[in-house]
Amino acid sequence: MDVMSPAPVATAPPRQTRPLLRWSLHASWVLVLALATEFRVGRFGFHPSDQGFILAQAWRVLHGEVPHADIISARPLGSAVLHVADYALPMPLFFGSGFLAMIELVVATIAFATLVTRRRVLEWGPGLTALVAAASLLNLNAFPLMAWHTVDGIFLTACGAWALDAGLRGGHVFARRGGLVLLGCAVLVKQSFAPAAVIGLGWLLLHPATRTGTRRAVRLVLDLLALGAPGMAYVAWVSLGGGFTEMVGQLTGGLPAYGERLLGLWLDDPEVLTRPPVRELGFFAAIAVVLLAVRLPGDRLGAAGRVASWVLVLAGATAVVWTVVDGRLTGSTRWADVLWWIVAVSVPVHAAVRRQVPWAGLLVLATGFMTSLSWGNDTPTLLCGTLALTTLLLLGQLVPARPRPSRHSAVTATAGLLAVAVCGWVVVARHDQAAYLDVSHDRLTEDLGAVTPAMAGIRTNPSTFAFVRQIRACLDRFPAARTAILPDSPFAYPAFGLRNPFPLEWPLPLEIVGDAPGRMLATADRLNREGGYLVLFQTDSYRMLATGGPVPESIPADTPVFDYLGLEKAIQARLTGRVVTCGSFVGKYAP
């Protein structure tokens, strides 16, 4: 018995011709969609805080710094390692990083769709391909296109499962072990993706391909080594760099996340079940119960049963679409949570009708839960397109097979292209209305490429532009071998090629784990001894930039600095360098 859902019963697939051409066509639409999305959506709007966070950590890794020993992090720094690749792209750094992030989202959507449909990508027609492209855009929704550990976790989980499934089904050792390596890597981008490795292990042990043949024990040991290799390599790297103890303290010292808001969507306020978009969950559940009653007898209900099945599936699809409409691509509506629960209803209904568990649906559910384990975005929003598509695909597998499906290819292709157009329009409109931590599209009038080539093409509001320009001016006025901008400007290190002497890029309260305060202050003492530093302190909250508030051209030297827990003020008082002012910054400078 296969541990994944079987392929839908249909006519034999057409003989594949010119597979290289078909692969090229699929690769082309992925690249075109990612580039178009970055060009029209991703590059509009910028904020100096988290839009450079992962790139700043990758910049440090690129220069030989060791995670946890040199870089304090509440998460494993697998994303920093992965996004070293962003620096190799032949395009401006921040534009290219967003382009690569969209490629990750699209490929992850393809991987999940392949697993749910049990159809190879080369067997896809234009209709399914277009639906996957539309789901990719919904997965982005209102999120900014940037390097981010949650995007990496989804990508590695989806591609790891895709490769593992292909390897197990086809007997391809390289694909199987490559998939296990990717699932092992998912753990290293964020602790919440640790279940990905557990899923890979269970999948491996339960699959019939691993329980037959000769030398099973040897194959299993090698497979387990592939799964554990990324983790072992990471621990060895950190340990050789002298950071093992610090790693344990940092990775276990953060605030845990349990996914309680997702799992308890309506428990705090049951009346939410009567309000959009959560009310669509009730509609879908009622439709699913009736569909189950109609489909359980099989074909014994005759034509009436087949017609009723199609009507109910279309009604269920309407509930899914209406959830997206009511959600308005806004995280506060919890529309992604509703889609997650809709998939949770679809899986048992599919299992009861088909007499086999849809393991791919359970994988999507598990990935959605892992995605929701977050401090700031505790909802599976980055998977909402996949959640919607998974539901539609599971529903589609419950209706009787259509005769002569080729007659409907034009209809499905048209529907898919319409879905791409609508989803694209909605995503563009949502981002134009208010870019992530920035203003509306018509007010994004400044190109940050005028300040640094690494940010060419990135558009922002005049206030954020002035803020970034002032950093450039400060660096020119006060050159130093080591420069820090505290607390909310991690983007500056990769954007201007700076070496941050402190072990934290972005000292948010939740990021200050382990012995971070002591190490930050100890770094200030070392700078006092060695000299050759510039430490700039922001005097306004980063929220001000997000609204396009005024950025002063000059301030008094005694202007209070902005901080979270008093750490920045303590560092400012500790440093003995000359007090300087530059634009809206105050700082300490020792040439």
Side-chain angles (χ1 to χ4, degrees):
M1 180 182 68
D2 195 349
V3 298
M4 293 292 292
S5 56
V9 177
T11 58
R15 183 173 59 90
Q16 297 299 322
T17 60
R18 294 185 289 181
L20 180 60
L21 174 62
R22 294 179 66 87
W23 273 121
S24 299
L25 291 173
H26 281 289
S28 296
W29 78 255
V30 171
L31 294 175
V32 169
L33 179 62
L35 186 61
T37 306
E38 171 61 18
F39 188 81
R40 181 55 184 87
V41 173
R43 71 186 187 95
F44 287 97
F46 175 76
H47 199 270
S49 56
D50 44 5
Q51 285 188 262
F53 183 40
I54 302 299
L55 286 177
Q57 293 179 330
W59 178 249
R60 300 181 75 142
V61 170
L62 189 62
H63 284 81
E65 297 192 35
V66 178
H68 311 293
D70 302 316
I71 314 167
I72 294 174
S73 175
R75 292 163 294 276
L77 285 170
S79 285
V81 177
L82 178 64
H83 286 283
V84 167
D86 295 27
Y87 291 86
L89 294 176
M91 55 184 69
L93 175 62
F94 282 76
F95 183 94
S97 184
F99 169 61
L100 184 60
M102 190 61 196
I103 288 179
E104 288 186 82
L105 285 175
V106 177
V107 173
T109 310
I110 291 173
F112 282 124
T114 301
L115 291 169
V116 174
T117 61
R118 314 302 291 136
R119 292 175 59 188
R120 298 171 63 241
V121 176
L122 294 185
E123 298 172 4
W124 290 6
L128 179 57
T129 301
L131 285 176
V132 171
S136 303
L137 292 169
L138 277 185
N139 280 335
L140 174 62
N141 54 83
F143 200 77
L145 269 176
M146 63 181 181
W148 200 244
H149 36 252
T150 305
V151 175
D152 298 336
I154 293 171
F155 170 74
L156 292 170
T157 300
C159 293
W162 184 15
L164 176 61
D165 178 57
L168 289 171
R169 293 172 65 202
H172 304 299
V173 175
F174 180 79
R176 182 177 78 244
R177 291 183 184 147
L180 291 170
V181 169
L182 292 176
L183 292 172
C185 288
V187 181
L188 299 180
V189 301
K190 198 178 179 186
Q191 294 94 318
S192 62
F193 287 94
V198 178
I199 291 171
L201 177 61
W203 198 334
L204 182 70
L205 296 178
L206 292 175
H207 201 280
T210 62
R211 300 200 300 265
T212 59
T214 60
R215 304 183 64 190
R216 284 176 292 172
V218 174
R219 292 203 315 268
L220 181 59
V221 169
L222 293 175
D223 289 340
L224 294 178
L225 285 175
L227 180 63
M232 292 186 291
Y234 185 81
V235 172
W237 178 25
V238 173
S239 300
L240 291 173
F244 180 82
T245 302
E246 289 80 1
M247 176 183 66
V248 174
Q250 292 167 25
L251 298 186
T252 60
L255 182 70
Y258 301 105
E260 59 271 19
R261 290 192 68 193
L262 172 63
L263 298 179
L265 176 61
W266 61 84
L267 295 183
D268 292 337
D269 180 16
E271 290 187 4
V272 76
L273 288 168
T274 64
R275 299 193 293 267
V278 184
R279 66 183 179 187
E280 275 74 60
L281 175 59
F283 296 154
F284 186 87
I287 293 167
V289 169
V290 179
L291 179 61
L292 184 63
V294 170
R295 292 304 302 151
L296 279 179
D299 294 328
R300 290 194 293 273
L301 297 180
R306 290 192 292 272
V307 171
S309 298
W310 276 102
V311 170
L312 289 167
V313 165
L314 291 175
T318 302
V320 172
V321 172
W322 208 250
T323 300
V324 176
V325 173
D326 273 347
R328 303 186 303 278
L329 275 64
T330 302
S332 61
T333 64
R334 313 299 293 188
W335 64 296
D337 295 18
V338 178
L339 289 173
W340 188 87
W341 277 102
I342 284 177
V343 176
V345 172
S346 303
V347 167
V349 171
H350 185 282
V353 173
R354 297 292 296 270
R355 304 293 197 273
Q356 191 170 26
V357 176
W359 294 102
L362 289 177
L363 174 66
V364 171
L365 274 179
T367 307
F369 179 72
M370 291 185 275
T371 302
S372 74
L373 299 178
S374 170
W375 290 334
N377 192 30
D378 57 345
T379 175
T381 308
L382 280 166
L383 206 68
C384 57
T386 293
L387 292 169
L389 181 61
T390 297
T391 301
L392 297 180
L393 294 174
L394 291 178
L395 286 176
Q397 295 173 10
L398 298 183
V399 293
R402 296 171 299 177
R404 295 183 295 276
S406 60
R407 291 187 176 182
H408 302 275
S409 59
V411 176
T412 56
T414 302
L417 292 174
L418 180 62
V420 173
V422 171
C423 290
W425 175 79
V426 169
V427 169
V428 168
R430 179 68 180 83
H431 279 261
D432 283 358
Q433 181 182 11
Y436 176 75
L437 288 179
D438 212 327
V439 297
S440 59
H441 185 271
D442 59 309
R443 297 169 62 193
L444 302 174
T445 57
E446 304 292 338
D447 191 323
L448 289 169
V451 181
T452 171
M455 305 185 75
I458 305 301
R459 301 289 290 272
T460 189
N461 68 76
S463 296
T464 302
F465 180 84
F467 179 86
V468 177
R469 176 178 50 79
Q470 288 177 359
I471 294 178
R472 172 80 276 172
C474 295
L475 299 176
D476 293 339
R477 283 181 59 191
F478 306 108
R482 292 165 294 183
T483 304
I485 299 98
L486 300 174
D488 293 317
S489 297
F491 86 98
Y493 307 111
F496 297 112
L498 306 177
R499 296 304 305 274
N500 179 15
F502 291 95
L504 266 173
E505 274 71 36
W506 192 18
L508 287 174
L510 290 174
E511 301 290 340
I512 299 176
V513 292
D515 58 352
R519 289 179 62 180
M520 294 286 281
L521 294 174
T523 300
D525 292 336
R526 179 169 56 83
L527 291 175
N528 287 331
R529 293 191 303 269
E530 299 175 359
Y533 67 84
L534 171 66
V535 180
L536 298 174
F537 299 91
Q538 296 170 219
T539 57
D540 287 309
S541 165
Y542 73 90
R543 298 286 180 185
M544 179 272 298
L545 297 177
T547 59
V551 176
E553 287 296 330
S554 62
I555 56 173
D558 60 352
T559 302
V561 304
F562 173 76
D563 72 354
Y564 293 100
L565 298 174
L567 181 59
E568 286 76 14
K569 292 179 180 177
I571 292 172
Q572 183 188 31
R574 199 112 166 189
L575 292 170
T576 58
R578 174 164 60 96
V579 176
V580 297
T581 63
C582 182
S584 61
F585 296 90
V586 297
K588 291 292 185 75
Y589 179 55

